[in-house]
Amino acid sequence: MVAVAWVGGKVRFIDQTKLPVEEQYLETEDWRVIAAAIRSLQIRGAPAIGVAAAFGLCLALNDHHDAIPGSLRTSWKEAAAGLAASRPTAVNLFAALSRMTSALGDDFTADASCLRERALREAMSIQQEDVDACTRIGELGAALLPPDAVVLTHCNAGILATAGSGTALSIITTAARRGLIRNVYVDETRPLFQGARLTAWELARAGVPHTLITDNTAGSVFRTRKVNAVIVGADRIAANGDAANKIGTYPLAVLARYHDIPLYIAAPTTTIDTSIPDGGGIPIEERNPREVTHPAGVRVAPEGVKVFAPAFDVTPHELIHAIVTERGILHPPFAAAIAALRLPSPASPPGSSRP
Ligand code: MRU
């Protein structure tokens, strides 16, 4: 199963809002469908969003009209801006869009099929690099775990969230294949239940022992049971190591520190945004209040109640034990470790105001 793929000139993706009840795949030739799918979380998870956006731009090259000069450039810019506006926090989206645009070199004079080929080659590279990064993150991260390990994870940072085997879940499934995992506590992850719906589904498919808990059970688990590590993904990591991830990660990090349990962030280097000095600059998406008042579509709060619904929070670097990337495990001080990677700063895609 892959979350997003290019199949015969179309983008094929699994509708993650339907899981685990239904395994439904959708296909499209329209970048607008991709932008809407990212917005609605049919496609979600930072690296998967980046790959989907890259394929979305390939689809934009279908929109041109031979009779209108410059129409390829116009279509591309419109799609880049539309895709960039779909979700603000995961930097992989913006990194993929600007990489795609650089690959074309702002040269839209070539004919459509030549441009399409060039764009697709770049999108496929973005996809393959993420596949490789996931595998490497899994190998490096699994070596951090002791035998008979009990770990806790939050949200979904698995196959569904990437082009490959996942980030946090790649570590867990790699360690499980090496016989190192006794149990994985899976936070349900309110309000959209990515842990309950997606991570529990993936771990069951992979045959990894796991136990679902409500988000507010983590403290009790840390206090009363053995937990060796908390392993989560990230949507954007600032230059000093502060990491934005699914809402609820920060309180988990505080709890883990109190109980002396290491918190590992697993992310490809495409998730690091060196243009942002610290977590205070990371744009945090706010979601529709209905996602809080109507979990699974059922109203649980009074009509008209005021809601605060950030999708992500920022874990300060002081609470992070290590960051597992495909280029190695980063240890504190993270500012120096990240600077040593000499990462390019993702430029803004055309027509977008990159958050
Ligand atoms: O709102 P979501 O479901 O897209 O949030 C996803 C997360 O927070 C993941 O942990 C993160 O994107 C890392 S995925 C490898």
Side-chain angles (χ1 to χ4, degrees), residues 25-46:
Y25 291 84
L26 303 173
E27 283 189 348
T28 183
E29 291 179 273
D30 187 349
W31 68 264
R32 293 164 197 83
V33 173
I34 300 295
I38 293 173
R39 208 172 301 122
S40 68
L41 273 58
Q42 287 176 307
I43 300 171
R44 50 149 295 285

Side-chain angles (χ1 to χ4, degrees), residues 145 149-153 172 181 183-186 227-231:
L145 298 177
V150 177
V151 302
L152 185 144
T153 191
I172 290 170
I181 298 286
N183 194 24
V184 182
Y185 285 101
V186 178
V227 175
N228 299 96
V230 175
I231 312 175

Side-chain angles (χ1 to χ4, degrees), residues 29 47 148 202 211 214 220 255 264-265 267 295 306 309 315 322 329:
E29 291 179 273
D148 205 29
E202 281 197 38
T211 305
T214 61
S220 238
L255 275 172
Y264 298 114
I265 299 279
K306 202 166 126 193
T315 297
I329 299 176

Side-chain angles (χ1 to χ4, degrees), residues 163-282:
S165 50
T167 56
L169 280 197
S170 178
I171 294 176
I172 290 170
T173 51
T174 305
R177 279 196 300 278
R178 295 179 187 171
L180 296 174
I181 298 286
R182 176 160 26 124
N183 194 24
V184 182
Y185 285 101
V186 178
D187 268 1
E188 64 177 351
T189 316
R190 282 194 168 239
L192 294 177
F193 300 99
Q194 288 93 331
R197 294 188 304 104
L198 310 177
T199 298
W201 182 76
E202 281 197 38
L203 290 176
R205 281 168 60 104
V208 180
H210 58 285
T211 305
L212 180 64
I213 57 172
T214 61
D215 296 342
N216 47 13
T217 303
S220 238
V221 168
F222 289 160
R223 192 172 181 82
T224 60
R225 301 178 183 204
K226 180 193 91 160
V227 175
N228 299 96
V230 175
I231 312 175
V232 295
D235 286 80
R236 194 181 303 218
I237 300 172
N240 70 343
D242 292 353
N245 189 49
K246 178 52 56 193
I247 190 75
T249 303
Y250 167 56
L252 206 52
V254 174
L255 275 172
R257 175 56 56 92
Y258 181 79
H259 292 93
D260 210 15
I261 297 167
L263 170 91
Y264 298 114
I265 299 279
T269 50
T270 45
T271 300
I272 301 175
D273 184 351
T274 51
S275 73
I276 292 192
D278 60 56
I282 299 178

